[in-house]
Structures are given as C-alpha cells and as structure tokens.
Amino acid sequence: MSPLTLSTAFSPRSSQLHPRCLHFLSHSLPIFYKFKSPHSFCPKSQNRPIFLVRNCASITAKPSSQFRKKSADSEQDEKLRSLRELFSKPGIGIDAYIIPSQDAHQSEFIAECYMRRAYISGFTGSAGTAVVTKDKAALWTDGRYFLQAEKQLSSNWILMRAGNYGVPTTSEWLNDVLAPGCRIGIDPFLFSSDAAEELKEAIAKKNHELVYLYDLNLVDEIWKESRPEPPRKPIRVHELTYAGLDVSSKLSSLRSELIDAGCSAIVVSMLDEVSWLLNLRGNDVPNSPVMYAYLIVEIDGAKLFIDDSKVSPEVMDHLKNAGIELRPYESILAEIKNLAAKGAHLWLDTSSVNAAIVNTYEAACDQYSGSLDNKRKNKSEAYGVANGQSGVPTGVYKISPILLAKAVKNQAELEGMRNSHLRDAAALAQFWSWLEEEILKGVLLTEVDVADKLLQFRSMQAGFLDTSFDTISASGANGAIIHYKPNPDSCSIVDVKKMFLLDSGAQYIDGTTDITRTVHFGEPTPRQKECFTRVLQGHIALDQAVFPENTPGFVLDAFARSFLWKIGLDYRHGTGHGVGAALNVHEGPQSISFRFGNMTPLQKGMIVSNEPGYYEDHAFGIRIENLLCVKEMDTPNRFGGIGYLGFEKLTFVPIQNELVELSLLSTAEIDWLNDYHSEVWEKVSPLLDGSARQWLWDNTRPLAKQ
C-alpha cells in the first residue's frame, strides 16, 4: 500500500524531534505543513443537468449520474447548513470548526462511527482535514487522493491540494479568510496534543482563539440516529507462539524505562501499542486487528480502559495474570485526574496522546501543585525522585518507548511474517492464474469482481483473518488514483488493452502482508514499458541497498527514484512505510520517504515496504511493492567500527516480465530479476498444484539479455 507521506512531529514541550509515524501528512494531514503558491482557489463550478434545445427538434442531457451528483450536492448543503447552525448555540460560540480524519487514538483506519470527516465532506480517502467556516468549506488532502477528491467533493467544497506549490495550510487559510479575533473550535479528543498546540500558536498570529469542545462533537450532533454504533466485537489473546514475548516481560521492560525517566506512570493511547504490549488483538477497526482502549501502566499496576463486553473469560484471565485491571473506556479522564492527585510523574507522548488527556492532566497539575512550572519538568530534573513520586504531579514529555520496541521485531514475529507471506504468495498465484484464464476467455470482470475473488483465494489460506487495507483494484486510468477504491456502482471493467494495478494485503494470525503488482494483459505501449522498467530499476536499487547502521530511511529514498528522475518523472508518495507483525499495515517510527524530518535510523528487525511507482493522470498507474526486513550484512570492511545493514525479502510473487524493457536493464538488474523469480519458484511452488503451479512456473522463467 502506497506509503503515507511522512513528516516529523516537533514537540513544543521538548527539544526532542518526534518521528511519530502517525503524526504525518497523514490520515488527517498536517495542519501546518508550509506551501506557498501564486494560485488562488475557489469552489468548483456547480454540476447541474444541462438541456440544449436546437430547432425544437432534439434535446440532449447529461447522464443520470449527474442528477445523482446534484442530489449529493444538496445533501452536503444540508449537512453544512446544520453544522453551521450549531456554531452560534450557547456554550459553543465559534466561527469555524476543524474536522480531522482521526479517532481519539490518532488511528489511520477507524471505525465507521468515527468517520466524521468523510460524513461531512463526502470524501472517503483516509487522509484529509475538513475546515468549515460560516460561509466556506475546504478540504485538504495529499497527492495520493487528488483525483479521488475531485470526484467525490461537491461544489460546496474547496479542494486544497496539500503538497502542491503554494497551497496554504489550514491555519494560514483560516488566518486569511477570518477576521481577526475569531473563535475556532475543535474536538480535543481528535487532535494530538502537539497538533493542537501548533494550531493554537499558528492562529494566534491573527488573535484567533482555539476552543476545545470537550462535551460534544458537532458532526455527531448532526449525524444523530444514522450514526453507526461503536464497535463491540470480542477481543482475543495473541498467542505467545506468534508474539514471542509474554506480557509480563514487556511490562517489566516498560517499567524499567519509566524508572529511568523518573516517571511513575505512562498513558498508552495508540491502539497498536496497546495491542502489542498486552498480546491482545481485536476487531474494532476494519483491516487492523486492534480494539478501542487506553492503557495506563504504573510502577505497581496497570489499568485497561475498555468496553468490558468485549472481554471474554479467557482474555480476563490473561489480563489478571499480568496484573491488569479493567476500567470503563469513558473513565480515562477521571483516572488522569486521579494520577495528578496522587502526585504522579506521568509520561506523555504528546505526538500521539490526544489534547483532551494532556490538557486534563496539566489542568489537574495546576490544581494540585499550584505551580505551572512543575508540570514542565524535564527528564534530568525527574531523576532524583524515588520511584517517580514526589507528591508534586509532573508531566514528562517523551516519545512512547513502545513505538520502537514494537517496530523491532523479535524472532517469533519475523518467523510469523515469513510464513504468512508464503501462504499469501500461494493465494496470489492462484488468483493470478484464475484472472489470466478468465481474461483470455473474454470474461468481463469488474474491478470489484477481481478484488472479491482475491479475497476468496486468501480466505482459504490457514490463519487468514481479514484484508490489511481495502484492495486497490485499478484498471487503466484508475491506477493513477494512488489510493483508488473501486465502487460496485461505478467501477471499471478490467480491460485487456489497459494496465492493471493491484495493491492488496492480508491480516493473518501470524503476520501482515502488503503487496502491489502491475500487469498488462495485452500489448503494452513503449511508454508504459519504459515507465514500468524504470520503476523496477528503482525497486531493485532499494532492495540491494547496503548502508551503515544509524542510517535514517530518507537517505535511501533517492535510490528508488533516481531512474525516474533521469527522464524527469517522479511519484507523490513515500517509498516505504513500516509494517506491523500481525498488526497495522502502516506503523512507525521508521519510513523511507523524501521528507527528511524523520531521523529514525533503520534497525535490524524492522520491516519496511519497497514500493516506488509512477502515475500518469487519466492514463495509467504503476507500482511494484515488496516487504523487506532489515538485516545485518557481512561486509569485508567496517568503516568507523560500525556494522552495515541491508534487506531480506519477505514477498515472493512474480513481477510481470512482459512489461520489462530489457534494453534498459543492466546485466546485474536482469540477474536480480532472474534470481528473485528463482527464489519465488523454490519457496512457493511446494504450496501449489495444478494450473496455479503451472502459472507460477511460466512466470518465473529466466530472462536473457538481448
């Protein structure tokens, strides 16, 4: 899955840079990323049915889809009108409202009941921020979603193409369109503390006030009865066979870090961090095996804030054995106040913990200590506190230690990832064999038909649970929409004369997969072959990279782009994202991206994607994606006395030879492709029989330099 465009979070409370994977040009989009442009932006023109009368003899009209578009526009008009009516209600009194994509845990994938930005705007991409004033509505999204947003937004909305030269940030836009001294409302549960602080500082330039609306979310107020219920699906224990480390050991390591930092407690709010630390998995969020919960870990205990209807007797025993108590999900703020009353030194990762929690704790610190200075105590000042307790509540602002611990996989997690990828490869071989046969027979298949069939093949594999994201099944021009999602009512037929891009992944009990292949069922054009081959060359270059320890991912990004750059081409997304082990398909802190703010070094045991691409608007899209594991390399030298790292492949599915322009490849690059296909055959063929095995054989034959 194409990587989210990563940025680096800077905490206003600390000199630390926060390379938090999920505080990026992200699912919600940076409110503050700077772009300047001479271009102006205005609402798109209204799409109305047009009737042309010529000599009273003929009438032509736009198709029925345009009438549906007008109906959608009317519905969006009503939502915006209802939202704006709330601005002047007692206790609210705002001039603008910001609706991000996140839930209260800064998740990329969220439950349907929290898809507020999608509900108010009609734009369903995973990344975006909506801003509504009394007379304007604008939506920011990044390059992966420009084409999708153009299609989905009604004429009531201004599309802000974040990342394009000159596009203002949300705060810049608000400062421009609002008169000085306005009140801008947010739901503080939906913003990380850092994001809220940055927004507050940015709008203060025009004397605007940031208003935290703790007690109600305005979108929920107009969503009313049609809003889906919160998820209440049962959670399960993630077996030690796959986790590799028991909960008690993980908690012991975490508590050691708390003591070293002079802390007595930590708030864990990222859902994958809670799941990883407690060896639990859930079903609350599509594509991600996590559950909605907060966790507070103290030196002598821990509390899990969750809807207890999700907790089975087996899970309850699992938690009791680790010394974890249950509390209602909604009681998190009350417990935060209790920690302050006890004089806790609370570890808060302000790049991920929401503003409601952080502000509640800081307010409680003021109440119990009477001193604003005490709540900003840094690590060095806290060292002298026995067990992190002094009677004076203090906030210690640091990146969550669980983030890196989760990213560096242990041997059991790596083995699960290897095994699940081989089963996934077998399912994909069966799928591609079926699809090529159907295409050759002239069967008409839609993009949705294809995605559904792939799900069917995957579901037959041992340990399959779910997809790891919505399958991107894209024929022709739809492939240029980087995160395209086919809709049964409007998707295309898979055309034998066009390129076809398939980006998909699965959640298995022992691992998470993510793979993209681009194919052509007919005769590709020379342009398509050249673009594909240059993407392949970038993929090979990154796969073969050897680099010193402590190298951050951005250093490697140019390896994947350089062959496209040589002919003036590029792509609008990062080259690689971290991947969880039987967890989220996107995780941090590591990444491989052109955005150089993330200084997190790649480390042995981390998993990243390798997915360069090229997208020609309204024509075709190309992406080639494998997952890689960072490993130690045995180099003949160790300059500076440090080790060197490289990559181990996890993905083993053929890359279509017919799209390769051999004249562009070096002998070494052809050898790489042949060696890769040899390895694919060796690892995957024992899992196949019949036509799928024959397909794998046919598509792993070696190429010869012409």
Side-chain angles (χ1 to χ4, degrees):
M1 185 180 188
S2 63
L4 300 169
T5 311
L6 304 178
S7 69
T8 299
F10 182 81
S11 169
R13 301 179 173 85
S14 154
S15 60
Q16 286 183 292
L17 281 174
H18 286 189
R20 163 68 66 175
C21 172
L22 297 180
H23 180 48
F24 33 77
L25 237 187
S26 76
H27 18 275
S28 180
L29 251 100
I31 298 179
F32 322 102
Y33 201 87
K34 300 291 183 182
F35 302 103
K36 302 293 181 185
S37 166
H39 305 303
S40 60
F41 292 84
C42 59
K44 293 185 289 184
S45 59
Q46 184 87 20
N47 290 314
R48 299 185 178 89
I50 298 174
F51 295 91
L52 302 176
V53 180
R54 294 194 179 101
N55 300 325
C56 299
S58 65
I59 296 178
T60 61
K62 287 193 174 183
S64 59
S65 61
Q66 291 297 327
F67 290 95
R68 291 196 297 271
K69 174 72 171 172
K70 183 176 181 180
S71 175
D73 281 13
S74 176
E75 183 181 349
Q76 293 304 319
D77 269 336
E78 178 61 26
K79 290 177 182 177
L80 288 173
R81 184 190 63 77
S82 298
L83 182 67
R84 286 165 174 149
E85 284 181 354
L86 296 176
F87 285 10
S88 58
K89 296 290 184 181
I92 299 176
I94 58 174
D95 302 285
Y97 192 61
I98 303 176
I99 307 112
S101 299
Q102 291 99 321
D103 55 24
H105 306 267
Q106 307 303 299
S107 306
E108 175 191 4
F109 299 126
I110 60 178
E112 189 178 1
C113 61
Y114 301 129
M115 295 179 180
R116 299 173 174 106
R117 190 225 62 229
Y119 173 78
I120 196 67
S121 70
F123 167 65
T124 60
S126 67
T129 298
V131 182
V132 179
T133 70
K134 291 179 177 178
D135 60 356
K136 294 181 176 65
L139 181 129
W140 280 254
T141 192
D142 63 53
R144 298 168 297 153
Y145 294 107
F146 290 166
L147 297 180
Q148 179 179 341
E150 287 173 4
K151 289 183 176 182
Q152 291 184 327
L153 289 178
S154 76
S155 57
N156 304 301
W157 289 85
I158 307 166
L159 173 58
M160 297 293 192
R161 296 171 176 82
N164 278 4
Y165 179 72
V167 175
T169 64
T170 54
S171 55
E172 288 171 339
W173 185 75
L174 284 166
N175 284 344
D176 183 53
V177 302
L178 296 178
C182 286
R183 288 165 51 88
I184 298 168
I186 64 169
D187 180 339
F189 286 94
L190 305 185
F191 286 76
S192 73
S193 178
D194 282 354
E197 288 289 329
E198 292 170 20
L199 175 59
K200 182 178 179 180
E201 181 180 334
I203 63 174
K205 295 174 183 177
K206 287 295 183 75
N207 296 318
H208 299 314
E209 177 187 357
L210 188 62
V211 180
Y212 286 7
L213 300 173
Y214 283 89
D215 298 328
L216 79 168
N217 182 284
L218 300 192
V219 175
D220 293 352
E221 289 295 299
I222 65 170
W223 208 343
K224 296 180 180 176
E225 292 80 14
S226 62
R227 184 185 175 212
E229 288 292 317
R232 293 187 176 89
K233 296 180 180 178
I235 59 179
R236 59 182 169 85
V237 175
H238 187 55
E239 298 296 338
L240 188 59
T241 304
Y242 309 124
L245 198 62
D246 61 60
V247 179
S248 295
S249 298
K250 291 180 179 180
L251 288 173
S252 178
S253 296
L254 177 59
R255 286 171 174 138
S256 294
E257 297 226 30
L258 292 180
I259 292 170
D260 288 345
C263 294
S264 58
I266 184 172
V267 177
V268 185
S269 67
M270 297 293 288
L271 301 184
D272 61 336
E273 292 187 9
V274 175
S275 296
W276 180 85
L277 186 62
L278 300 184
N279 288 347
L280 293 176
R281 297 295 186 266
N283 296 285
D284 284 353
V285 177
N287 312 124
S288 300
V290 297
M291 62 282 178
Y292 278 105
Y294 296 99
L295 178 67
I296 292 178
V297 178
E298 298 179 76
I299 300 300
D300 56 355
K303 298 181 179 72
L304 179 66
F305 298 79
I306 192 169
D307 180 346
D308 63 8
S309 68
K310 304 174 186 178
V311 181
S312 67
E314 179 192 8
V315 171
M316 182 66 78
D317 289 343
H318 172 80
L319 293 171
K320 283 183 178 178
N321 289 338
I324 298 162
E325 304 173 25
L326 292 190
R327 294 288 187 274
Y329 178 81
E330 297 79 11
S331 67
I332 182 65
L333 293 187
E335 183 62 26
I336 292 295
K337 294 175 183 177
N338 289 339
L339 287 172
K342 293 194 301 184
H345 287 188
L346 185 60
W347 186 320
L348 291 164
D349 180 349
T350 53
S351 71
S352 62
V353 176
N354 65 55
I357 288 175
V358 175
N359 279 39
T360 295
Y361 188 70
E362 291 183 343
C365 284
D366 286 345
Q367 177 183 349
Y368 291 108
S369 71
S371 169
L372 181 66
D373 294 335
N374 281 322
K375 69 183 184 185
R376 304 281 172 165
K377 182 173 288 188
N378 60 29
K379 176 180 175 181
S380 61
E381 291 173 311
Y383 266 123
V385 181
N387 291 326
Q389 297 287 150
S390 69
V392 178
T394 300
V396 179
Y397 303 96
K398 293 165 59 71
I399 278 289
S400 168
I402 304 167
L403 184 67
L404 185 60
K406 175 172 57 65
V408 178
K409 275 57 177 177
N410 60 49
Q411 286 306 309
E413 290 172 322
L414 290 175
E415 193 61 25
M417 290 293 281
R418 294 183 186 108
N419 292 336
S420 60
H421 273 78
L422 293 182
R423 300 197 304 277
D424 201 54
L428 282 157
Q430 294 166 342
F431 162 79
W432 285 113
S433 172
W434 166 83
L435 181 57
E436 287 190 6
E437 185 177 342
E438 296 297 290
I439 293 291
L440 285 174
K441 290 191 298 188
V443 177
L444 293 182
L445 296 167
T446 68
E447 295 162 329
V448 170
D449 293 334
V450 169
D452 289 346
K453 191 67 176 181
L454 174 56
L455 176 59
Q456 180 181 327
F457 281 115
R458 276 195 167 116
S459 65
M460 294 187 291
Q461 291 297 322
F464 174 83
L465 299 171
D466 193 3
T467 55
S468 57
F469 55 93
D470 291 331
T471 297
I472 301 169
S473 171
S475 180
N478 291 335
I481 303 173
I482 298 171
H483 274 192
Y484 173 74
K485 180 182 177 181
N487 184 299
D489 296 328
S490 59
C491 67
S492 298
I493 298 293
V494 176
D495 192 331
V496 69
K497 297 179 181 179
K498 297 177 180 178
M499 298 188 79
F500 177 66
L501 185 154
L502 186 73
D503 187 348
S504 66
Q507 294 287 1
Y508 294 93
I509 197 167
D510 53 346
T512 303
T513 70
D514 182 3
I515 172 176
T516 309
R517 290 295 182 263
T518 307
V519 302
H520 200 299
F521 300 109
E523 188 66 35
T525 66
R527 168 74 170 180
Q528 291 170 337
K529 291 183 70 172
E530 178 179 11
C531 292
F532 181 90
T533 304
R534 289 185 178 277
V535 170
L536 175 60
Q537 288 176 296
H539 181 96
I540 293 171
L542 181 56
D543 179 271
Q544 293 185 313
V546 178
F547 48 94
E549 291 177 344
N550 303 316
T551 299
F554 75 82
V555 173
L556 304 181
D557 185 73
F559 286 41
R561 297 179 192 269
S562 61
F563 296 91
L564 288 167
W565 285 350
K566 288 176 181 178
I567 58 170
L569 299 180
D570 204 348
Y571 49 95
R572 290 191 185 102
H573 58 72
T575 299
H577 57 85
V579 179
L583 265 176
N584 289 353
V585 73
H586 284 154
E587 76 165 19
Q590 74 276 20
S591 70
I592 300 174
S593 173
F594 58 93
R595 300 196 183 281
F596 51 81
N598 188 348
M599 299 299 294
T600 304
L602 297 179
Q603 298 183 36
K604 177 186 175 183
M606 286 181 169
I607 293 173
V608 292
S609 64
N610 173 9
E611 49 183 312
Y614 173 66
Y615 312 91
E616 202 145 287
D617 287 355
H618 313 295
F620 61 85
I622 297 166
R623 189 159 61 250
I624 303 170
E625 177 185 16
N626 284 352
L627 296 192
L628 306 172
C629 176
V630 181
K631 67 175 184 177
E632 292 178 347
M633 298 295 288
D634 184 15
T635 55
N637 303 290
R638 294 171 66 89
F639 182 81
I642 64 173
Y644 280 72
L645 303 173
F647 296 115
E648 170 196 346
K649 299 176 190 68
L650 296 176
T651 307
F652 293 98
V653 174
I655 295 167
Q656 191 182 53
N657 287 335
E658 287 77 7
L659 272 168
V660 176
E661 177 51 64
L662 276 175
S663 64
L664 292 175
L665 293 184
S666 68
T667 300
E669 289 166 335
I670 293 175
D671 288 344
W672 181 95
L673 188 59
N674 288 338
D675 290 346
Y676 176 64
H677 282 157
S678 176
E679 199 172 2
V680 169
W681 172 255
E682 178 184 340
K683 290 179 178 293
V684 182
S685 62
L687 305 178
L688 298 170
D689 55 22
S691 59
R693 196 170 194 270
Q694 184 62 49
W695 178 89
L696 191 72
W697 172 262
D698 293 341
N699 284 273
T700 53
R701 295 309 85 215
L703 292 173
K705 183 74 175 178
Q706 294 177 338

